[in-house]
Amino acid sequence: MLCSAAAMADCQIGTIPFSVFRFVFFILVSSSLTLFCSAADTITRNQTIRDGETLVSKGQNYELGFFGHENSTSRFVGIWFRNITVKTFIWVANRENPVSDKAGVLTIGSDGNLVVLDGNGRPLWSSNVSLSSENSTAKLDDDGSLILTSSDGKSHWQSFDYPTDTFLPGMKVVVNRLKGENRAFTSWKAETDPSPGNYSMGVDPRGSPQIVIWEGSRRRWRSGPWNSLTFNGIPNMSSANLLYGFRLSNEEEDESRYFTYTPLNVSDKMMFRIRWDGFEEQLRWEEENKKWSVMQSQPDKNNDCELYNKCGNFAICSSWESPICSCMQGFVPKNWEEWRRGKWEEGCSRRTPLLCQRNSTGTQEGGDEDGFASVKCAKLPDFGDLVRVDNTDNCKGKCSSDCNCTAYSYVNGIGCLIWSGELLDVQHFTKGGNTLYIRLAHSDLGGKKSLSTVLIVTITIVGAVFLGLFICLAWRFKSKLKVLPSTATSTTTTSLGWRRSNEIPPYDASKSAEISTELSGPVDLGIEGNQVNGPDLPMFNFNCIAATTNNFSEENKLGQGGFGLVYKGTLPGGQEIAVKRLSRKSGQGLEEFKNEIILIAKLQHRNLVRLLGCCIQGEEKMLLYEYMPNKSLDSFIFDLDKQALLDWKKRYTIIEGIARGLLYLHRDSRLRIIHRDLKASNILLDEDLNPKISDFGMARIFGGNQNEANTNRVVGTYGYMAPEYAMEGLFSVKSDVYSFGVLLLEIVSGRRNISYRSTEYASLLAYAWQLWSEGRAAELIDASIAETCSRNEVLRCIHVGMLCVQDSPGYRPTMSSVVLMLESETANLPLPRQPTFTSMRGHIDSDLFSEGYENASLNDMTVTMVVDGR
Ligand SMILES: *[C@@H]1O[C@H](CO)[C@@H](O)[C@H](O)[C@H]1NC(C)=O
Ligand SMILES: *[C@@H]1O[C@H](CO)[C@@H](O)[C@H](O)[C@H]1NC(C)=O
Ligand SMILES: *[C@@H]1O[C@H](CO)[C@@H](O)[C@H](O)[C@H]1NC(C)=O
Ligand SMILES: *[C@@H]1O[C@H](CO)[C@@H](O)[C@H](O)[C@H]1NC(C)=O
């Protein structure tokens, strides 16, 4: 087409015959080419590819054939990029057994497998799968995979499952806890020799999966654990680069998960590979420069800290310090002599045994409890184990209760990681990373120099020296002054090292927080503020978020609530997120807002929606949550078509889940969050229909001071609001209990509290009370579950619901009793009192608020009103 267009362009009257000739010639050539090409992305039985012939994929992206370096007679079958001037191979078949001359062929063997044969018909390589018939075909796909298909159309083998050194978009790298490390990629032996080399690359599924480069059997580099958005050990992977487009799939039946990669622009030619000299590279083809540009490379050639366990066990590598290695707080070099000479391999050992270790050796001495020292912005040690606990306190508890545990970290997006035994390959970053808590004997907690104390001391010394100089000058000027000796002492003592360590004031976490804020720069929200001991929260750049939500387009809108609009976003890797764009009137300053978000990010529970990150840019404030494909509970229970999808068992787990999540907010989290807007549309359902409470903590951001029990702004939704809250603005954990009770009755009955107007009753609560008091509570049960449910469970739920919606907060149970009541079949429940509030007020308000309640779906019907006006 291009050529013919060119021919037409210089179409001038006098030269028509020539142009026509060129045109026809082009057609002839190109059609014969096309015929050849279109026939040749596939080989079938009895067809062969000889050395010199090639297969070309349909879209002309890839080509398959024999190749070899000009200085060598070895020939290999491989796949390379077509239409790229730099010949780049992505896959090699017979890398262990090259053909020694140009007589080799690739064909479908008598057993139906793809085989490479030498000139004598001896097999050198085979796809080696068992096939039922010999009539199979092999096709070179346009994404670079060679696929072997049997005559019934089933694919039995593909080159993407047996990669050599290159990872392409579309490939899957298997992560399976049961199968352990997966060294999927092996480097070439040399730049021009595709035989297997010394380096391999793959994933280690332990704890949270990470990418590892091995040299032989030793580790050379690792990425740090995957936190569902980035790798902990690649700090500059956050925000701007927006995650490169990696994604880890959910677990499948055989407990396998897959890492995949999708480029930002799908038309980009992109690949990752493990180079022959042990460096992983991410490359992108630049058509304009006709070369591959390196987007990132690991390990970083200019940073020795990147090499695996550079400083040895129990040491920390900080690339900006000199020397780069230092022992962790409470640890001393195993071999001082070597350590001083810069040979760090032996690492460090514990100065004082832990109390539990001393006790276990039988000495039974008393003493102060062991404690934890923190390292901020750390690349977490290797070989962490994931423990399923809900929050950072329980994580700490888990570690304290096991004498083998040497450290823990609670990471947003992963959960609780604990380490037993030695701590390997820890790095200190200037920003990013996570906070690591190292277990120490009590006596080692105080004095020793963490980075921050070193800084404080350095600043003190520099200050002292300046002061000394100043005083010295003054002293010369006025020789009466005799202050010098005291400053001189302080300098000598410090230059002598840490002799005075018992005089150094105890380690002060709040001070170190200030220092690391200085070091971290403005973007890294996770370590700002004073509440630094929680998981670190990734901070995103506004443009990236705008891109993932298609510029906040209407199609991406999921819903609208009192706190702002919610959009669906898709990260380059395909991971879906929900973005809540907060309305601007939050009334909070930036610092307060950040502190709130950090606090909220620390709330982690199976039944709370996970906060993945946030974005603050000027007026814009956004929260990024995990995306819940099944939307919210109200889209099920109030929808006649979908009601039946939630059978009683499912509804019961949903009720229990909400109760547990709420209990966590009220009691177990250190913050004591009162939700204040619990309702069906704020309960989201994950793919397995497990409930997750959303919008918790919003009241803290929008509703003013949480410590005051009285607020002049009521945030909540009519129908779910407890009487004392709706009328007087008084709230407490018991107002959430009320909302929970309403929700419970709605789940059981499949009807909305407020739109319940088809009868003489003002609300579902009034109706429920009527049935309850007449002993007909079973009639409340949703028709779609009435047949199959467990009567006793449902009736107990209704009973608990009635207890929760009593007018007086004092009569309502706490969430912990609710959880107990729901779970114990034998508990004797108290008798509820009649709820009068909604029946009294229903008539007026249901008119006022009649619009919109009927067609509510994901939309939050949040009503924010000023109480004074009522
Ligand atoms: C094919 O696989 C079998 C077992 O899985 C193995 O013993 C055999 O050596 C393989 N053959 C080739 C040519 O790789
Ligand atoms: C394979 O194909 C050949 C020729 O088309 C046919 O004769 C033979 O029956 C086929 N074999 C099987 C097992 O389908
Ligand atoms: C691979 O290992 C061998 C043996 O240890 C060594 O001689 C060779 O130089 C190594 N090759 C590369 C590329 O590092
Ligand atoms: C993707 O790349 C193609 C070709 O390089 C370019 O034409 C296109 O504009 C790019 N798309 C985006 C969204 O950047």
Side-chain angles (χ1 to χ4, degrees):
M1 284 314 285
L2 270 177
C3 188
S4 61
M8 298 316 265
D10 54 11
C11 191
Q12 288 164 10
I13 291 169
T15 56
I16 285 175
F18 180 58
S19 291
V20 167
F21 167 73
R22 262 169 65 176
F23 189 57
V24 170
F25 176 74
F26 171 75
I27 296 274
L28 282 173
V29 171
S30 68
S31 61
S32 64
L33 262 176
T34 332
L35 279 177
F36 176 71
C37 293
S38 65
D41 67 342
T42 308
I43 53 171
T44 53
R45 180 143 171 71
N46 301 328
Q47 287 181 322
T48 54
I49 302 284
R50 278 169 227 287
D51 202 328
E53 297 171 348
T54 61
L55 286 183
V56 175
S57 70
K58 208 167 208 155
Q60 308 273 311
N61 279 335
Y62 294 95
E63 189 165 5
L64 175 146
F66 283 84
F67 71 94
H69 194 254
E70 54 199 17
N71 295 340
S72 155
T73 55
S74 296
R75 306 289 292 170
F76 301 89
V77 171
I79 301 175
W80 58 88
F81 284 98
R82 196 176 154 82
N83 294 337
I84 277 189
T85 41
V86 181
K87 201 157 183 185
T88 311
F89 300 94
I90 58 157
W91 184 76
V92 182
N94 56 326
R95 61 192 307 201
E96 286 165 45
N97 280 323
V99 191
S100 53
D101 51 29
K102 293 204 172 185
V105 292
L106 171 71
T107 185
I108 305 266
S110 55
D111 60 353
N113 272 303
L114 263 171
V115 284
V116 176
L117 307 173
D118 70 6
N120 304 323
R122 205 163 51 91
L124 296 174
W125 174 86
S126 160
S127 54
N128 206 10
V129 284
S130 62
L131 292 154
S132 52
S133 98
E134 71 272 27
N135 284 355
S136 41
T137 56
K139 179 175 173 220
L140 179 60
D141 226 40
D142 216 28
D143 61 3
S145 190
L146 181 64
I147 301 171
L148 184 68
T149 314
S150 57
S151 46
D152 57 8
K154 253 176 71 187
S155 131
H156 289 270
W157 177 94
Q158 56 170 318
S159 62
F160 269 16
D161 293 339
Y162 302 88
T164 52
D165 66 337
T166 307
F167 176 60
L168 287 175
M171 263 190 197
K172 292 169 157 183
V173 180
V174 182
V175 180
N176 189 314
R177 231 169 273 287
L178 306 178
K179 297 194 184 130
E181 289 169 357
N182 172 13
R183 301 186 186 189
F185 307 92
T186 305
S187 68
W188 284 24
K189 193 171 221 146
E191 199 150 17
T192 54
D193 181 0
S195 325
N198 296 350
Y199 301 98
S200 53
M201 177 169 76
V203 289
D204 173 5
R206 181 166 173 172
S208 183
Q210 61 177 338
I211 294 179
V212 177
I213 296 175
W214 288 269
E215 178 173 2
S217 58
R218 292 195 350 251
R219 292 185 174 214
R220 169 173 161 82
W221 175 84
R222 66 190 183 96
S223 66
W226 174 248
N227 72 7
S228 78
L229 286 177
T230 62
F231 293 101
N232 152 270
I234 313 182
N236 51 8
M237 189 172 171
S238 58
S239 44
N241 298 345
L242 201 71
L243 330 167
Y244 301 155
F246 270 108
R247 174 161 194 216
L248 184 62
S249 71
N250 289 326
E251 210 155 87
E252 300 191 357
E253 273 147 35
D254 61 347
E255 301 196 29
S256 287
R257 308 168 80 189
Y258 302 96
F259 264 121
T260 54
Y261 177 84
T262 319
L264 212 49
N265 184 341
V266 284
S267 60
D268 275 353
K269 288 192 169 70
M270 187 89 88
M271 63 176 188
F272 296 79
R273 71 171 176 203
I274 175 76
R275 281 165 48 111
W276 64 278
D277 54 0
F279 291 90
E280 174 270 348
E281 275 180 343
Q282 181 182 6
L283 301 165
R284 181 175 161 271
W285 179 251
E286 286 181 349
E287 188 54 45
E288 54 280 19
N289 303 325
K290 302 261 180 282
K291 70 174 184 62
W292 289 99
S293 70
V294 180
M295 298 179 70
Q296 49 98 3
S297 171
Q298 311 287 355
D300 185 346
K301 289 178 182 129
N302 303 317
N303 183 354
D304 280 347
C305 285
E306 292 273 287
L307 295 174
Y308 188 76
N309 210 19
K310 177 75 187 171
C311 298
N313 302 352
F314 292 118
I316 300 180
C317 196
S318 318
S319 58
W320 69 92
E321 284 189 64
S322 176
I324 53 175
C325 293
S326 55
C327 288
M328 289 175 177
Q329 177 176 346
F331 290 81
V332 288
K334 270 197 179 146
N335 185 337
W336 276 101
E337 213 34 52
E338 298 273 288
W339 187 268
R340 252 184 233 121
R341 273 196 260 129
K343 304 195 90 174
W344 296 299
E345 292 77 17
E346 284 186 54
C348 308
S349 56
R350 196 178 282 285
R351 189 172 6 198
T352 318
L354 296 175
L355 182 66
C356 65
Q357 293 169 337
R358 283 178 271 153
N359 283 350
S360 70
T361 57
T363 44
Q364 284 301 341
E365 51 180 297
D368 291 315
E369 284 296 309
D370 300 330
F372 291 90
S374 66
V375 179
K376 298 189 172 68
C377 301
K379 176 172 182 175
L380 297 175
D382 207 356
F383 306 117
D385 287 309
L386 190 62
V387 185
R388 305 232 174 253
V389 298
D390 279 336
N391 57 43
T392 174
D393 286 343
N394 291 345
C395 189
K396 183 177 178 181
K398 208 77 189 174
C399 187
S400 305
S401 63
D402 173 5
C403 196
N404 288 329
C405 176
T406 42
Y408 77 91
S409 177
Y410 197 81
V411 183
N412 203 14
I414 299 178
C416 175
L417 288 169
I418 68 170
W419 286 265
S420 310
E422 317 235 314
L423 301 177
L424 276 75
D425 192 35
V426 179
Q427 254 193 79
H428 199 165
F429 301 127
T430 47
K431 63 171 196 136
N434 293 92
T435 307
L436 175 71
Y437 295 91
I438 304 164
R439 187 171 190 178
L440 295 177
H442 187 269
S443 58
D444 286 336
L445 287 174
K448 224 237 161 178
K449 50 247 150 158
S450 68
L451 167 80
S452 40
T453 18
V454 168
L455 274 179
I456 292 170
V457 172
T458 319
I459 292 165
T460 324
I461 295 170
V462 171
V465 169
F466 271 100
L467 190 67
L469 276 174
F470 174 77
I471 292 170
C472 191
L473 287 174
W475 181 65
R476 272 205 193 170
F477 198 68
K478 270 192 171 188
S479 57
K480 269 187 281 174
L481 269 169
K482 296 269 181 208
V483 195
L484 179 64
S486 70
T487 42
T489 354
S490 83
T491 353
T492 17
T493 329
T494 32
S495 70
L496 282 176
W498 296 97
R499 290 246 186 91
R500 298 200 317 160
S501 67
N502 49 349
E503 292 167 33
I504 292 174
Y507 178 72
D508 182 346
S510 66
K511 280 212 183 101
S512 72
E514 281 160 36
I515 302 275
S516 45
T517 312
E518 298 290 321
L519 290 175
S520 71
V523 252
D524 210 340
L525 176 66
I527 43 175
E528 279 181 49
N530 294 328
Q531 299 83 359
V532 276
N533 24 356
D536 306 328
L537 189 67
M539 189 70 172
F540 292 87
N541 148 321
F542 178 78
N543 293 333
C544 290
I545 303 299
T548 64
T549 57
N550 202 1
N551 224 347
F552 304 104
S553 71
E554 199 57 29
E555 306 89 76
N556 284 39
K557 198 160 113 180
L558 291 174
Q560 174 163 23
F563 305 117
L565 297 168
V566 185
Y567 296 89
K568 179 176 172 181
T570 310
L571 297 179
Q575 180 178 1
E576 291 169 326
I577 54 171
V579 178
K580 175 157 241 165
R581 196 177 187 184
L582 298 178
S583 51
R584 300 187 178 196
K585 52 175 193 295
S586 83
Q588 270 198 343
L590 200 59
E591 282 313 306
E592 288 166 283
F593 175 77
K594 284 187 190 171
N595 285 335
E596 280 309 327
I597 295 297
I598 292 168
L599 288 174
I600 291 166
K602 278 198 247 167
L603 301 176
Q604 296 222 1
H605 188 270
R606 209 146 36 90
N607 297 113
L608 300 183
V609 174
R610 191 152 74 199
L611 184 61
L612 297 175
C614 81
C615 165
I616 304 173
Q617 195 150 333
E619 289 279 274
E620 287 288 352
K621 291 172 191 152
M622 282 179 270
L623 301 178
L624 277 57
Y625 292 99
E626 54 184 340
Y627 174 71
M628 293 290 140
N630 275 320
K631 308 222 165 130
S632 54
L633 182 59
D634 61 339
S635 69
F636 280 87
I637 53 172
F638 303 139
D639 184 317
L640 291 180
D641 295 332
K642 286 161 86 185
Q643 265 175 344
L645 294 177
L646 291 183
D647 59 11
W648 172 247
K649 236 177 106 201
K650 209 72 226 176
R651 290 193 200 200
Y652 192 63
T653 27
I654 290 175
I655 292 170
E656 281 186 314
I658 301 169
R660 292 228 181 82
L662 205 53
L663 174 62
Y664 171 78
L665 287 177
H666 285 178
R667 192 192 67 180
D668 297 337
S669 79
R670 282 177 299 172
L671 292 173
R672 288 187 174 269
I673 297 268
I674 300 175
H675 190 296
R676 294 213 256 168
D677 197 15
L678 192 68
K679 56 181 166 179
S681 62
N682 272 340
I683 307 298
L684 305 185
L685 299 175
D686 72 5
E687 55 267 42
D688 302 322
L689 299 174
N690 295 312
K692 304 218 175 204
I693 301 176
S694 73
D695 260 4
F696 51 91
M698 283 297 148
R700 285 180 68 105
I701 296 176
F702 283 87
N705 193 343
Q706 188 78 205
N707 299 323
E708 291 170 16
N710 191 322
T711 175
N712 59 359
R713 249 180 112 208
V714 172
V715 182
T717 303
Y718 184 72
Y720 290 93
M721 271 190 281
E724 76 279 6
Y725 182 36
M727 301 197 310
E728 296 161 63
L730 288 169
F731 68 87
S732 64
V733 289
K734 294 292 184 69
S735 25
D736 275 354
V737 172
Y738 183 94
S739 312
F740 174 79
V742 175
L743 190 53
L744 206 167
L745 294 173
E746 288 184 333
I747 294 172
V748 170
S749 67
R751 306 177 220 205
R752 279 177 202 281
N753 182 25
I754 215 61
S755 67
Y756 192 71
R757 289 183 295 163
S758 52
T759 63
E760 67 214 76
Y761 301 100
S763 70
L764 176 63
L765 297 192
Y767 178 57
W769 173 259
Q770 186 69 29
L771 292 176
W772 165 266
S773 57
E774 291 170 13
R776 301 190 286 137
E779 290 175 30
L780 192 67
I781 304 172
D782 186 346
S784 65
I785 56 166
E787 296 295 303
T788 54
C789 66
S790 141
R791 270 299 147 99
N792 284 342
E793 271 175 6
V794 184
L795 292 179
R796 194 167 67 243
C797 281
I798 296 176
H799 192 149
V800 172
M802 298 308 301
L803 289 171
C804 291
V805 297
Q806 297 175 95
D807 287 344
S808 161
Y811 291 138
R812 292 176 212 146
T814 59
M815 280 321 290
S816 51
S817 347
V818 168
V819 170
L820 278 178
M821 289 192 254
L822 287 175
E823 281 171 3
S824 77
E825 290 181 12
T826 52
N828 250 338
L829 307 186
L831 281 181
R833 286 151 216 262
Q834 181 176 13
T836 54
F837 166 62
T838 38
S839 51
M840 246 162 42
R841 301 162 47 83
H843 289 296
I844 321 155
D845 287 315
S846 54
D847 287 339
L848 269 176
F849 293 103
S850 60
E851 290 300 316
Y853 278 98
E854 306 299 334
N855 60 8
S857 61
L858 227 182
N859 296 3
D860 302 359
M861 286 314 136
T862 300
V863 186
T864 302
M865 51 197 153
V866 178
V867 173
D868 298 352
R870 315 206 92 225

